[in-house]
Amino acid sequence: MSATITQQSHGHVSLLDPSEQLRPEPVYSGKLQREFRNFEEDSEDPIKERVRKTYEEMHTNQTVEFVKSRMRDWLRFNKFKMTVKDALLKLNDLVDESDPDTNMPNIIHAFQTAESIREKHPDLDWFHFTGLIHDLGKVMAFYGEPQWAVVGDTFPVGCAWGDSIVYRATSFDNNPDGKDSRYNTKYGMYKPKCGISNLMMSWGHDEYLYRLLVHNKSKLPKEALAIIRFHSFYPWHAGGDYMHFCTPKDLEMLKWVVEFNKFDLYTKSGAVPDIEKLWPYYEKLIDKYLPGVIEW
């Protein structure tokens, strides 16, 4: 057997070590790696059908004009005022309708993510805090936004949709931007290598929380802001799409997004953390990075 084989993926040829194919598949929190992010369609399975419908609505309605309208509405930050802790507690009442991996309230996922990062990166408290708050933008679901405009994988609007987007084959059929010559080409309304941060992303909790952190002058580093803004951008950080927009700076930030993803995704079926016991540590981080009552 030759030492390497080639595989074609998203237009790139990569070299694979056959021994990698023979290693046991990683197990995270009692589930095989391939069992996460299962987007198979099954009309008889209520969770799979819920997920499919959420994405179908998202991919039909997330247009350039829709995103502009939500930014005009939400980025005034005049909806309410609340501490980070109160926002986290609010997530106790939210179950993400786009997520095939968990039916647990989002606050549990927040602490699972933060604690798994803390275990592997004990000296990076900003990373722990990022894990804790990464989904806080989902509070929009309590203030009139449908879940398809809050949760789920994100993608740029204003250019051709990436091949690796979930349900890509048919879910965009009724999105009018697909018939608009300004938006339906590879680069659409953008320029090559313009930078991932210059793309207009589909509206959801990532973009909203990123903008909120900047507005409220959080003390988080740029790596944390990139994680917050793009952790749901699976077609980029997991699918390899949209690389034609990347700059060298984007590729540096991508390393952090990919590192974060391990803790975001593969903790969802783990044990429920003792949240009351953990609050004192995380309250210190809130006071350090995003203290007091903030504008939402």
Side-chain angles (χ1 to χ4, degrees):
M1 183 184 293
S2 62
T4 57
I5 57 176
T6 60
Q7 175 175 298
Q8 190 79 25
S9 176
H10 298 293
H12 302 289
V13 175
S14 58
L15 296 177
L16 299 177
D17 182 346
S19 64
E20 291 289 328
Q21 311 304 309
L22 302 177
R23 292 180 183 177
E25 185 176 357
V27 174
Y28 299 94
S29 303
K31 286 175 65 174
L32 291 172
Q33 184 175 6
R34 68 171 178 270
E35 294 178 322
F36 289 85
R37 286 180 59 79
N38 180 349
F39 291 102
E40 291 179 359
E41 296 186 37
D42 181 354
S43 60
E44 301 300 314
D45 184 317
I47 292 180
K48 284 186 169 65
E49 188 63 4
R50 179 196 74 190
V51 172
R52 185 196 65 78
K53 287 182 176 179
T54 299
Y55 275 102
E56 183 174 61
E57 288 192 88
M58 178 198 302
H59 294 167
T60 297
N61 293 295
Q62 291 272 5
T63 64
V64 171
E65 287 307 312
F66 174 78
V67 174
K68 287 180 178 178
S69 74
R70 304 332 293 143
M71 292 174 76
R72 285 193 298 268
D73 187 36
W74 281 95
L75 301 187
R76 293 179 292 169
F77 302 106
N78 62 354
K79 299 292 186 187
F80 54 95
K81 294 183 180 180
M82 188 183 293
T83 66
V84 168
K85 182 175 182 179
D86 285 341
L88 282 163
L89 291 170
K90 202 163 186 63
L91 290 185
N92 205 38
D93 296 322
L94 180 71
V95 174
D96 186 331
E97 294 176 359
S98 73
D99 196 331
D101 294 317
T102 184
N103 259 330
M104 289 184 176
N106 240 242
I107 191 173
I108 295 174
H109 171 57
F111 277 92
Q112 286 174 328
T113 305
E115 280 295 284
S116 60
I117 292 172
R118 186 179 175 190
E119 181 181 351
K120 297 294 184 182
H121 298 281
D123 299 327
L124 298 180
D125 69 353
W126 65 265
F127 204 6
H128 313 163
F129 184 64
T130 301
L132 183 73
I133 69 166
H134 74 281
D135 279 342
L136 273 192
K138 292 180 181 178
V139 297
M140 289 191 295
F142 297 107
Y143 295 90
E145 283 299 326
Q147 284 218 18
W148 57 261
V150 175
V151 301
D153 296 1
T154 59
F155 55 92
V157 296
C159 62
W161 300 300
D163 290 338
S164 67
I165 296 175
V166 297
Y167 308 109
R168 170 68 180 85
T170 59
S171 61
F172 288 96
D173 286 355
N174 295 316
N175 186 311
D177 283 3
K179 301 175 181 65
D180 192 321
S181 60
R182 297 172 296 173
Y183 306 139
N184 62 8
T185 61
K186 178 178 180 179
Y187 292 103
M189 63 184 192
Y190 309 107
K191 301 292 185 184
K193 307 293 183 184
C194 65
I196 293 295
S197 63
N198 290 314
L199 302 178
M200 181 184 291
M201 300 300 296
S202 56
W203 183 248
H205 69 282
D206 293 36
E207 186 69 18
Y208 173 55
L209 183 59
Y210 163 73
R211 301 288 191 113
L212 182 144
L213 292 171
V214 173
H215 173 77
N216 286 283
K217 298 180 171 56
S218 83
K219 297 178 177 63
L220 286 168
K222 64 181 185 301
E223 292 84 0
L225 295 178
I227 289 168
I228 294 293
R229 194 176 194 182
F230 299 118
H231 70 271
S232 301
F233 190 8
Y234 276 87
W236 178 49
H237 67 69
D241 289 333
Y242 302 104
M243 299 304 290
H244 47 285
F245 293 125
C246 285
T247 65
K249 178 182 175 183
D250 292 327
L251 299 180
E252 285 300 311
M253 291 298 106
L254 178 59
K255 296 175 185 177
W256 282 103
V257 177
V258 170
E259 177 66 10
F260 173 80
N261 179 245
K262 294 184 297 187
F263 306 107
D264 182 17
L265 178 58
Y266 298 126
T267 58
K268 289 180 179 176
S269 59
V272 176
D274 186 342
I275 293 175
E276 288 305 314
K277 184 178 178 181
L278 294 171
W279 270 125
Y281 174 72
Y282 287 100
E283 285 175 329
K284 290 179 182 177
L285 298 190
I286 292 171
D287 289 340
K288 180 176 181 179
Y289 290 109
L290 195 59
V293 176
I294 59 177
E295 296 177 338
W296 298 75

